[in-house]
Amino acid sequence: MADNPTSGGSKDFPANTKGGSSDGNSLVVCFGELLIDFVPTVAGVSLAEAPAFKKAPGGAPANVAVGISRLGGLSAFVGKVGDDEFGYMLADILKQNNVNTSGVRFDSSARTALAFVTLRADGEREFLFFRHPSADMLLQESELDKNIIEQARIFHYGSISLIAEPCKSTHLAAMSMAKKSGSILSYDPNLRLPLWPSEDAAREGIMSIWDQADIIKISEDEITFLIGGDDHNDDNVVLKKLYHPNLKLLIVTEGSKGCRYYTKEFKGRVPGVKTKVVDTTGAGDAFVSGILNCLASDLNLFKDEKRLKEALLFANACGALTVTERGAIPALPTKEAVLKLQQHPVAAS
């Protein structure tokens, strides 16, 4: 495929990114949306009440790519932004964080997606999205960087890219490319209900690719949404409704309480790490970065419960550190910071 003159690469990867289990060449490719979040400069107000907004880079798959790089891993991002100031700003932020951007495309006919996000005083999150359509929704299959996708040891994605065409077909094609080349498929549905036409459409869209994933990370709220009135704490309900024969690892995150894990051989729970909460934005993405970074360098973790639990404790610490600072990407931790927190846990105040 011809190089896109407007794409940039920040790292050249060795050809053998899928080599032996701990050779250091362990590329995670993240596919999906990259956007600007506008967050009120004061806490606890509605969007209408906010006196001003601060811009922050956002988009779960992009956060995960930066998180992995921050932890010392190899990552790449595949997606589309507008051929505008915000689009170039976002691509630059990825490059500054050592994320490979050879799969980033720029659309001259649509703008970079914007999201206004606030946490109101009543604890409810309020979203206002500008995607009518935005550039990320317009990524075409012909624009995919096949080379970088086929190098992925792990190919990670969400469900927002399944909402509209042409991005939906492009997403499915990229999954197929990755699977054929031997990548592990990782899925974090990351439910954003206001973006879907209806609750039923969201449920159907999220579940439409469920059976193809090797790894799925899901929150308690998302389980409740997907399976209805059944108890999301009941292991048997979770296994019956959400575990599929090809799945290697299902993780249920429980916020500050930690997470549960399910594989074909074993299941269990790992406690969270207590920290002082400033902003929960990006905590789930930091958790995903932590576990994928561990898995990318050692795919045998699936089979070894002791090592899997250690990796999940590490991922929990990644999430816990992220909530101590504002914003997602600025708060994503380094490996040194995570190990330090694990050795000297901070009491939550």
Side-chain angles (χ1 to χ4, degrees):
M1 178 183 144
D3 285 337
N4 182 330
T6 53
S7 69
S10 52
K11 271 191 182 179
D12 289 322
F13 293 122
N16 65 334
T17 49
K18 296 194 188 189
S21 70
S22 53
D23 59 4
N25 299 330
S26 313
L27 177 63
V28 180
V29 175
C30 301
F31 175 94
E33 68 281 0
L34 174 58
L35 57 133
I36 307 259
D37 284 333
F38 283 91
V39 186
T41 50
V42 295
V45 295
S46 70
L47 290 176
E49 292 162 346
F53 293 90
K54 186 181 175 192
K55 68 181 192 301
N63 291 343
V64 171
V66 172
I68 287 165
S69 180
R70 201 77 49 92
L71 291 169
L74 287 178
S75 67
F77 178 77
V78 174
K80 202 175 201 187
V81 290
D83 184 4
D84 52 42
E85 285 297 314
F86 285 152
Y88 288 101
M89 181 197 102
L90 290 169
D92 281 344
I93 287 168
L94 292 182
K95 287 180 202 169
Q96 286 158 19
N97 283 282
N98 291 320
V99 175
N100 179 289
T101 56
S102 66
V104 174
R105 301 291 176 258
F106 298 83
D107 195 295
S108 54
S109 64
R111 296 290 188 210
T112 300
L114 309 178
F116 288 79
V117 191
T118 189
L119 193 62
R120 298 193 313 235
D122 61 7
E124 283 300 307
R125 211 173 264 268
E126 197 180 327
F127 290 97
L128 182 61
F129 292 97
F130 285 75
R131 299 172 87 241
H132 304 95
S134 53
D136 59 293
M137 300 159 73
L138 301 179
L139 184 66
Q140 305 273 356
E141 186 178 342
S142 59
E143 295 176 301
L144 288 173
D145 185 333
K146 199 168 176 227
N147 178 46
I148 203 79
I149 291 168
E150 288 178 344
Q151 286 185 62
R153 175 174 284 177
I154 298 176
F155 183 73
H156 176 72
Y157 47 87
S159 69
I160 289 171
S161 38
L162 296 170
I163 295 171
E165 292 290 3
C167 189
K168 179 182 177 181
S169 295
T170 306
H171 178 143
L172 298 175
M175 278 172 61
S176 174
M177 272 177 209
K179 193 79 170 173
K180 276 187 187 134
S181 67
S183 307
I184 293 278
L185 298 189
S186 163
Y187 185 24
D188 175 2
N190 197 36
L191 175 66
R192 290 287 176 268
L193 208 45
L195 291 177
W196 290 88
S198 68
E199 288 196 10
D200 286 345
R203 239 175 246 112
E204 197 178 312
I206 287 170
M207 296 309 291
S208 68
I209 57 168
W210 198 262
D211 290 353
Q212 295 179 59
D214 298 294
I215 307 164
I216 296 174
K217 171 255 167 192
I218 189 169
S219 70
E220 289 179 298
D221 291 347
E222 288 163 344
I223 290 187
T224 304
F225 175 76
L226 290 175
I227 67 175
D230 292 317
D231 182 7
H232 63 70
N233 288 313
D234 185 331
D235 286 346
N236 293 325
V237 169
V238 171
L239 286 166
K240 186 176 171 214
K241 297 279 182 83
L242 297 177
Y243 204 89
H244 66 76
N246 302 320
L247 202 51
K248 293 182 171 66
L249 176 63
L250 174 65
I251 302 167
V252 178
T253 54
E254 303 176 323
S256 61
K257 291 185 296 180
C259 65
R260 310 195 310 260
Y261 59 89
Y262 305 86
T263 73
K264 285 187 179 71
E265 278 80 37
F266 42 76
K267 63 180 193 282
R269 180 180 253 105
V270 173
V273 181
K274 295 278 187 288
T275 47
K276 188 176 193 300
V277 177
V278 175
D279 177 12
T280 58
T281 308
D285 301 329
F287 174 91
V288 172
S289 303
I291 191 62
L292 293 186
N293 192 51
C294 293
L295 281 165
S297 56
D298 184 5
L299 289 177
N300 293 320
L301 280 179
F302 295 126
K303 300 169 190 142
D304 184 329
E305 188 169 14
K306 181 175 176 288
R307 285 190 4 247
L308 178 62
K309 284 179 94 157
E310 284 167 7
L312 290 168
L313 279 166
F314 178 84
N316 282 343
C318 291
L321 267 179
T322 304
V323 305
T324 62
E325 285 184 50
R326 287 200 185 282
I329 284 178
L332 292 166
T334 62
K335 190 171 192 175
E336 292 70 31
V338 177
L339 295 173
K340 189 176 167 191
L341 175 66
Q342 288 188 289
Q343 284 158 8
H344 308 286
V346 183
S349 56

Short mmCIF file of all heavy atoms in Angstrom, two decimals, residues 154-204:
data_model
loop_
_atom_site.label_atom_id
_atom_site.label_comp_id
_atom_site.label_asym_id
_atom_site.label_seq_id
_atom_site.Cartn_x
_atom_site.Cartn_y
_atom_site.Cartn_z
N ILE A 154 -0.72 -7.96 19.68
CA ILE A 154 -2.08 -7.77 20.19
C ILE A 154 -2.74 -6.65 19.40
O ILE A 154 -2.13 -5.59 19.19
CB ILE A 154 -2.09 -7.43 21.69
CG1 ILE A 154 -1.47 -8.57 22.52
CG2 ILE A 154 -3.50 -7.13 22.19
CD1 ILE A 154 -1.34 -8.29 24.00
N PHE A 155 -3.97 -6.88 18.94
CA PHE A 155 -4.74 -5.86 18.22
C PHE A 155 -5.92 -5.49 19.12
O PHE A 155 -6.76 -6.33 19.43
CB PHE A 155 -5.22 -6.42 16.88
CG PHE A 155 -5.96 -5.40 16.04
CD1 PHE A 155 -5.27 -4.37 15.43
CD2 PHE A 155 -7.34 -5.47 15.87
CE1 PHE A 155 -5.95 -3.41 14.67
CE2 PHE A 155 -8.02 -4.54 15.10
CZ PHE A 155 -7.32 -3.51 14.51
N HIS A 156 -5.95 -4.23 19.56
CA HIS A 156 -6.93 -3.79 20.57
C HIS A 156 -7.92 -2.79 19.98
O HIS A 156 -7.54 -1.92 19.20
CB HIS A 156 -6.19 -3.15 21.75
CG HIS A 156 -7.11 -2.59 22.79
ND1 HIS A 156 -7.85 -3.38 23.64
CD2 HIS A 156 -7.45 -1.30 23.08
CE1 HIS A 156 -8.58 -2.61 24.42
NE2 HIS A 156 -8.35 -1.35 24.10
N TYR A 157 -9.19 -2.89 20.40
CA TYR A 157 -10.23 -2.02 19.84
C TYR A 157 -11.39 -1.88 20.82
O TYR A 157 -11.49 -2.62 21.81
CB TYR A 157 -10.74 -2.57 18.50
CG TYR A 157 -11.05 -4.06 18.57
CD1 TYR A 157 -12.29 -4.52 18.99
CD2 TYR A 157 -10.07 -5.01 18.26
CE1 TYR A 157 -12.56 -5.89 19.09
CE2 TYR A 157 -10.32 -6.36 18.36
CZ TYR A 157 -11.56 -6.80 18.77
OH TYR A 157 -11.82 -8.14 18.89
N GLY A 158 -12.29 -0.95 20.52
CA GLY A 158 -13.50 -0.74 21.31
C GLY A 158 -14.73 -0.98 20.46
O GLY A 158 -14.68 -1.71 19.47
N SER A 159 -15.86 -0.35 20.84
CA SER A 159 -17.09 -0.54 20.06
C SER A 159 -17.57 0.74 19.38
O SER A 159 -18.45 0.69 18.52
CB SER A 159 -18.22 -1.07 20.97
OG SER A 159 -18.63 -0.07 21.88
N ILE A 160 -17.00 1.90 19.73
CA ILE A 160 -17.46 3.16 19.14
C ILE A 160 -17.23 3.16 17.63
O ILE A 160 -18.04 3.69 16.87
CB ILE A 160 -16.77 4.35 19.84
CG1 ILE A 160 -17.34 4.49 21.26
CG2 ILE A 160 -16.96 5.65 19.07
CD1 ILE A 160 -16.63 5.48 22.14
N SER A 161 -16.18 2.49 17.19
CA SER A 161 -15.89 2.41 15.75
C SER A 161 -16.86 1.49 15.00
O SER A 161 -16.78 1.36 13.78
CB SER A 161 -14.44 1.95 15.53
OG SER A 161 -14.06 0.97 16.46
N LEU A 162 -17.77 0.83 15.73
CA LEU A 162 -18.78 -0.03 15.08
C LEU A 162 -20.10 0.69 14.84
O LEU A 162 -21.03 0.12 14.28
CB LEU A 162 -19.08 -1.25 15.97
CG LEU A 162 -17.94 -2.22 16.23
CD1 LEU A 162 -18.34 -3.22 17.31
CD2 LEU A 162 -17.54 -2.95 14.94
N ILE A 163 -20.21 1.95 15.27
CA ILE A 163 -21.51 2.63 15.26
C ILE A 163 -21.95 3.01 13.84
O ILE A 163 -23.12 2.87 13.49
CB ILE A 163 -21.50 3.86 16.19
CG1 ILE A 163 -21.30 3.40 17.65
CG2 ILE A 163 -22.79 4.67 16.07
CD1 ILE A 163 -21.06 4.53 18.64
N ALA A 164 -21.01 3.49 13.02
CA ALA A 164 -21.41 4.02 11.70
C ALA A 164 -20.47 3.54 10.61
O ALA A 164 -19.30 3.25 10.85
CB ALA A 164 -21.41 5.55 11.75
N GLU A 165 -21.01 3.46 9.39
CA GLU A 165 -20.18 3.20 8.20
C GLU A 165 -19.58 4.53 7.73
O GLU A 165 -20.14 5.58 7.98
CB GLU A 165 -21.06 2.59 7.09
CG GLU A 165 -21.58 1.20 7.40
CD GLU A 165 -20.50 0.12 7.40
OE1 GLU A 165 -19.31 0.44 7.20
OE2 GLU A 165 -20.84 -1.03 7.62
N PRO A 166 -18.40 4.48 7.04
CA PRO A 166 -17.66 3.28 6.64
C PRO A 166 -16.76 2.69 7.73
O PRO A 166 -16.19 1.63 7.56
CB PRO A 166 -16.80 3.80 5.48
CG PRO A 166 -16.55 5.24 5.83
CD PRO A 166 -17.79 5.72 6.51
N CYS A 167 -16.65 3.37 8.88
CA CYS A 167 -15.69 2.92 9.90
C CYS A 167 -15.98 1.49 10.38
O CYS A 167 -15.07 0.72 10.64
CB CYS A 167 -15.69 3.89 11.06
SG CYS A 167 -14.36 3.56 12.24
N LYS A 168 -17.28 1.14 10.47
CA LYS A 168 -17.63 -0.20 10.95
C LYS A 168 -17.01 -1.29 10.07
O LYS A 168 -16.37 -2.22 10.57
CB LYS A 168 -19.15 -0.34 10.98
CG LYS A 168 -19.61 -1.72 11.44
CD LYS A 168 -21.12 -1.86 11.41
CE LYS A 168 -21.53 -3.27 11.81
NZ LYS A 168 -22.99 -3.46 11.78
N SER A 169 -17.19 -1.18 8.77
CA SER A 169 -16.61 -2.18 7.85
C SER A 169 -15.08 -2.18 7.91
O SER A 169 -14.45 -3.24 7.81
CB SER A 169 -17.06 -1.90 6.40
OG SER A 169 -18.44 -2.08 6.30
N THR A 170 -14.50 -0.99 8.09
CA THR A 170 -13.05 -0.87 8.19
C THR A 170 -12.55 -1.58 9.46
O THR A 170 -11.54 -2.29 9.44
CB THR A 170 -12.64 0.61 8.22
OG1 THR A 170 -13.22 1.26 7.08
CG2 THR A 170 -11.14 0.79 8.18
N HIS A 171 -13.29 -1.38 10.55
CA HIS A 171 -12.97 -2.04 11.82
C HIS A 171 -12.98 -3.56 11.65
O HIS A 171 -12.04 -4.25 12.06
CB HIS A 171 -14.01 -1.60 12.86
CG HIS A 171 -13.85 -2.21 14.22
ND1 HIS A 171 -14.09 -1.52 15.38
CD2 HIS A 171 -13.46 -3.45 14.64
CE1 HIS A 171 -13.86 -2.30 16.42
NE2 HIS A 171 -13.49 -3.48 15.99
N LEU A 172 -14.03 -4.09 11.02
CA LEU A 172 -14.13 -5.54 10.82
C LEU A 172 -13.01 -6.06 9.93
O LEU A 172 -12.44 -7.13 10.19
CB LEU A 172 -15.50 -5.90 10.22
CG LEU A 172 -16.72 -5.53 11.09
CD1 LEU A 172 -18.02 -5.81 10.35
CD2 LEU A 172 -16.70 -6.27 12.42
N ALA A 173 -12.66 -5.28 8.92
CA ALA A 173 -11.57 -5.68 8.02
C ALA A 173 -10.23 -5.70 8.76
O ALA A 173 -9.42 -6.61 8.57
CB ALA A 173 -11.50 -4.72 6.83
N ALA A 174 -10.01 -4.70 9.61
CA ALA A 174 -8.75 -4.63 10.37
C ALA A 174 -8.65 -5.80 11.35
O ALA A 174 -7.58 -6.42 11.49
CB ALA A 174 -8.68 -3.30 11.13
N MET A 175 -9.78 -6.14 12.01
CA MET A 175 -9.79 -7.32 12.90
C MET A 175 -9.43 -8.58 12.14
O MET A 175 -8.64 -9.40 12.62
CB MET A 175 -11.20 -7.49 13.50
CG MET A 175 -11.49 -6.63 14.70
SD MET A 175 -13.23 -6.77 15.18
CE MET A 175 -13.38 -8.51 15.55
N SER A 176 -10.00 -8.71 10.96
CA SER A 176 -9.75 -9.90 10.13
C SER A 176 -8.28 -9.99 9.72
O SER A 176 -7.66 -11.05 9.78
CB SER A 176 -10.67 -9.83 8.91
OG SER A 176 -10.37 -10.87 8.04
N MET A 177 -7.71 -8.85 9.31
CA MET A 177 -6.28 -8.79 8.94
C MET A 177 -5.41 -9.24 10.12
O MET A 177 -4.48 -10.03 9.97
CB MET A 177 -5.88 -7.34 8.63
CG MET A 177 -6.08 -6.89 7.23
SD MET A 177 -5.61 -5.12 7.15
CE MET A 177 -6.70 -4.61 5.81
N ALA A 178 -5.71 -8.69 11.30
CA ALA A 178 -4.91 -8.99 12.49
C ALA A 178 -5.03 -10.47 12.85
O ALA A 178 -4.03 -11.13 13.13
CB ALA A 178 -5.37 -8.11 13.66
N LYS A 179 -6.25 -10.98 12.81
CA LYS A 179 -6.50 -12.38 13.18
C LYS A 179 -5.74 -13.32 12.23
O LYS A 179 -5.10 -14.27 12.66
CB LYS A 179 -8.00 -12.66 13.12
CG LYS A 179 -8.44 -13.97 13.75
CD LYS A 179 -8.51 -13.86 15.26
CE LYS A 179 -9.16 -15.06 15.90
NZ LYS A 179 -9.04 -14.99 17.37
N LYS A 180 -5.83 -13.01 10.93
CA LYS A 180 -5.17 -13.87 9.91
C LYS A 180 -3.66 -13.88 10.10
O LYS A 180 -3.00 -14.86 9.78
CB LYS A 180 -5.50 -13.36 8.51
CG LYS A 180 -6.83 -13.87 8.00
CD LYS A 180 -7.05 -13.49 6.54
CE LYS A 180 -8.45 -13.86 6.11
NZ LYS A 180 -9.12 -12.77 5.36
N SER A 181 -3.11 -12.78 10.61
CA SER A 181 -1.65 -12.74 10.76
C SER A 181 -1.21 -13.25 12.14
O SER A 181 -0.04 -13.16 12.50
CB SER A 181 -1.13 -11.31 10.53
OG SER A 181 -1.57 -10.47 11.55
N GLY A 182 -2.18 -13.76 12.93
CA GLY A 182 -1.83 -14.41 14.20
C GLY A 182 -1.88 -13.52 15.43
O GLY A 182 -1.40 -13.91 16.49
N SER A 183 -2.46 -12.33 15.30
CA SER A 183 -2.56 -11.43 16.46
C SER A 183 -3.60 -11.93 17.45
O SER A 183 -4.58 -12.57 17.07
CB SER A 183 -2.97 -10.01 16.02
OG SER A 183 -2.15 -9.52 15.01
N ILE A 184 -3.40 -11.58 18.71
CA ILE A 184 -4.41 -11.77 19.76
C ILE A 184 -5.37 -10.58 19.66
O ILE A 184 -4.92 -9.43 19.57
CB ILE A 184 -3.72 -11.76 21.15
CG1 ILE A 184 -2.83 -12.98 21.31
CG2 ILE A 184 -4.72 -11.63 22.28
CD1 ILE A 184 -3.51 -14.23 21.72
N LEU A 185 -6.68 -10.83 19.68
CA LEU A 185 -7.65 -9.74 19.59
C LEU A 185 -8.14 -9.35 20.98
O LEU A 185 -8.60 -10.20 21.75
CB LEU A 185 -8.85 -10.15 18.72
CG LEU A 185 -8.57 -10.50 17.25
CD1 LEU A 185 -9.88 -10.66 16.48
CD2 LEU A 185 -7.69 -9.44 16.57
N SER A 186 -8.01 -8.06 21.30
CA SER A 186 -8.39 -7.54 22.61
C SER A 186 -9.51 -6.51 22.46
O SER A 186 -9.41 -5.59 21.65
CB SER A 186 -7.16 -6.87 23.26
OG SER A 186 -7.53 -6.03 24.32
N TYR A 187 -10.57 -6.66 23.28
CA TYR A 187 -11.79 -5.87 23.12
C TYR A 187 -12.20 -5.24 24.44
O TYR A 187 -12.37 -5.94 25.44
CB TYR A 187 -12.90 -6.82 22.61
CG TYR A 187 -14.24 -6.21 22.26
CD1 TYR A 187 -14.40 -4.88 21.90
CD2 TYR A 187 -15.38 -7.02 22.27
CE1 TYR A 187 -15.64 -4.37 21.56
CE2 TYR A 187 -16.63 -6.51 21.92
CZ TYR A 187 -16.76 -5.18 21.57
OH TYR A 187 -17.99 -4.69 21.23
N ASP A 188 -12.33 -3.92 24.45
CA ASP A 188 -12.92 -3.19 25.59
C ASP A 188 -14.10 -2.42 25.03
O ASP A 188 -13.93 -1.39 24.38
CB ASP A 188 -11.89 -2.22 26.18
CG ASP A 188 -12.48 -1.36 27.30
OD1 ASP A 188 -13.67 -1.54 27.63
OD2 ASP A 188 -11.76 -0.48 27.82
N PRO A 189 -15.34 -2.92 25.24
CA PRO A 189 -16.50 -2.29 24.59
C PRO A 189 -16.64 -0.79 24.87
O PRO A 189 -17.05 -0.03 24.01
CB PRO A 189 -17.69 -3.05 25.20
CG PRO A 189 -17.14 -4.35 25.64
CD PRO A 189 -15.72 -4.09 26.05
N ASN A 190 -16.26 -0.35 26.08
CA ASN A 190 -16.24 1.07 26.39
C ASN A 190 -17.56 1.74 25.98
O ASN A 190 -17.59 2.60 25.11
CB ASN A 190 -15.04 1.73 25.69
CG ASN A 190 -14.71 3.09 26.29
OD1 ASN A 190 -14.84 3.28 27.49
ND2 ASN A 190 -14.32 4.01 25.46
N LEU A 191 -18.64 1.31 26.59
CA LEU A 191 -19.99 1.77 26.25
C LEU A 191 -20.13 3.29 26.38
O LEU A 191 -19.85 3.84 27.44
CB LEU A 191 -21.01 1.08 27.15
CG LEU A 191 -22.47 1.52 27.01
CD1 LEU A 191 -23.03 1.14 25.64
CD2 LEU A 191 -23.32 0.91 28.12
N ARG A 192 -20.54 3.94 25.30
CA ARG A 192 -20.90 5.36 25.32
C ARG A 192 -22.29 5.47 24.70
O ARG A 192 -22.43 5.70 23.51
CB ARG A 192 -19.89 6.20 24.52
CG ARG A 192 -18.54 6.33 25.17
CD ARG A 192 -18.54 7.25 26.38
NE ARG A 192 -17.25 7.30 27.06
CZ ARG A 192 -16.90 6.53 28.06
NH1 ARG A 192 -17.73 5.59 28.51
NH2 ARG A 192 -15.73 6.67 28.66
N LEU A 193 -23.29 5.27 25.53
CA LEU A 193 -24.67 5.14 25.06
C LEU A 193 -25.15 6.33 24.22
O LEU A 193 -25.85 6.14 23.22
CB LEU A 193 -25.60 4.90 26.25
CG LEU A 193 -26.88 4.11 25.99
CD1 LEU A 193 -26.66 2.88 25.15
CD2 LEU A 193 -27.54 3.74 27.31
N PRO A 194 -24.79 7.60 24.57
CA PRO A 194 -25.29 8.73 23.78
C PRO A 194 -24.88 8.69 22.31
O PRO A 194 -25.50 9.36 21.47
CB PRO A 194 -24.67 9.96 24.47
CG PRO A 194 -24.32 9.50 25.84
CD PRO A 194 -23.99 8.05 25.72
N LEU A 195 -23.84 7.92 21.98
CA LEU A 195 -23.37 7.86 20.58
C LEU A 195 -24.16 6.87 19.73
O LEU A 195 -24.13 6.94 18.51
CB LEU A 195 -21.89 7.49 20.53
CG LEU A 195 -20.91 8.54 21.05
CD1 LEU A 195 -19.49 8.00 20.99
CD2 LEU A 195 -21.03 9.83 20.24
N TRP A 196 -24.85 5.93 20.38
CA TRP A 196 -25.60 4.91 19.64
C TRP A 196 -27.02 5.39 19.35
O TRP A 196 -27.58 6.18 20.13
CB TRP A 196 -25.66 3.62 20.46
CG TRP A 196 -24.36 2.91 20.61
CD1 TRP A 196 -23.42 3.11 21.57
CD2 TRP A 196 -23.83 1.88 19.76
NE1 TRP A 196 -22.34 2.27 21.39
CE2 TRP A 196 -22.57 1.50 20.27
CE3 TRP A 196 -24.31 1.23 18.60
CZ2 TRP A 196 -21.78 0.51 19.69
CZ3 TRP A 196 -23.52 0.24 18.03
CH2 TRP A 196 -22.27 -0.10 18.56
N PRO A 197 -27.63 4.91 18.27
CA PRO A 197 -29.01 5.32 17.95
C PRO A 197 -30.02 4.93 19.03
O PRO A 197 -31.00 5.62 19.25
CB PRO A 197 -29.32 4.60 16.64
CG PRO A 197 -28.03 4.14 16.09
CD PRO A 197 -27.06 4.04 17.23
N SER A 198 -29.77 3.80 19.70
CA SER A 198 -30.69 3.33 20.74
C SER A 198 -29.95 2.33 21.64
O SER A 198 -28.86 1.86 21.29
CB SER A 198 -31.90 2.62 20.11
OG SER A 198 -31.48 1.40 19.50
N GLU A 199 -30.57 1.98 22.77
CA GLU A 199 -29.96 0.98 23.67
C GLU A 199 -29.85 -0.38 22.97
O GLU A 199 -28.85 -1.07 23.11
CB GLU A 199 -30.80 0.84 24.95
CG GLU A 199 -30.68 2.02 25.88
CD GLU A 199 -31.17 1.72 27.28
OE1 GLU A 199 -31.44 0.54 27.60
OE2 GLU A 199 -31.27 2.67 28.08
N ASP A 200 -30.89 -0.74 22.22
CA ASP A 200 -30.87 -2.03 21.51
C ASP A 200 -29.76 -2.07 20.48
O ASP A 200 -29.08 -3.09 20.32
CB ASP A 200 -32.23 -2.29 20.83
CG ASP A 200 -33.29 -2.68 21.85
OD1 ASP A 200 -32.92 -3.01 23.00
OD2 ASP A 200 -34.50 -2.63 21.51
N ALA A 201 -29.59 -0.94 19.77
CA ALA A 201 -28.52 -0.88 18.75
C ALA A 201 -27.15 -1.03 19.41
O ALA A 201 -26.26 -1.70 18.89
CB ALA A 201 -28.60 0.44 17.99
N ALA A 202 -26.99 -0.43 20.59
CA ALA A 202 -25.72 -0.53 21.31
C ALA A 202 -25.45 -1.97 21.73
O ALA A 202 -24.36 -2.50 21.53
CB ALA A 202 -25.75 0.39 22.54
N ARG A 203 -26.49 -2.60 22.31
CA ARG A 203 -26.33 -3.99 22.76
C ARG A 203 -25.97 -4.90 21.58
O ARG A 203 -25.04 -5.70 21.65
CB ARG A 203 -27.65 -4.47 23.38
CG ARG A 203 -27.51 -4.92 24.80
CD ARG A 203 -28.83 -5.28 25.45
NE ARG A 203 -29.14 -4.35 26.52
CZ ARG A 203 -30.14 -3.46 26.50
NH1 ARG A 203 -30.94 -3.40 25.48
NH2 ARG A 203 -30.32 -2.66 27.51
N GLU A 204 -26.71 -4.74 20.49
CA GLU A 204 -26.51 -5.57 19.30
C GLU A 204 -25.12 -5.32 18.70
O GLU A 204 -24.40 -6.25 18.34
CB GLU A 204 -27.60 -5.22 18.28
CG GLU A 204 -27.77 -6.25 17.18
CD GLU A 204 -28.92 -5.85 16.24
OE1 GLU A 204 -30.01 -5.51 16.73
OE2 GLU A 204 -28.69 -5.88 15.03
#
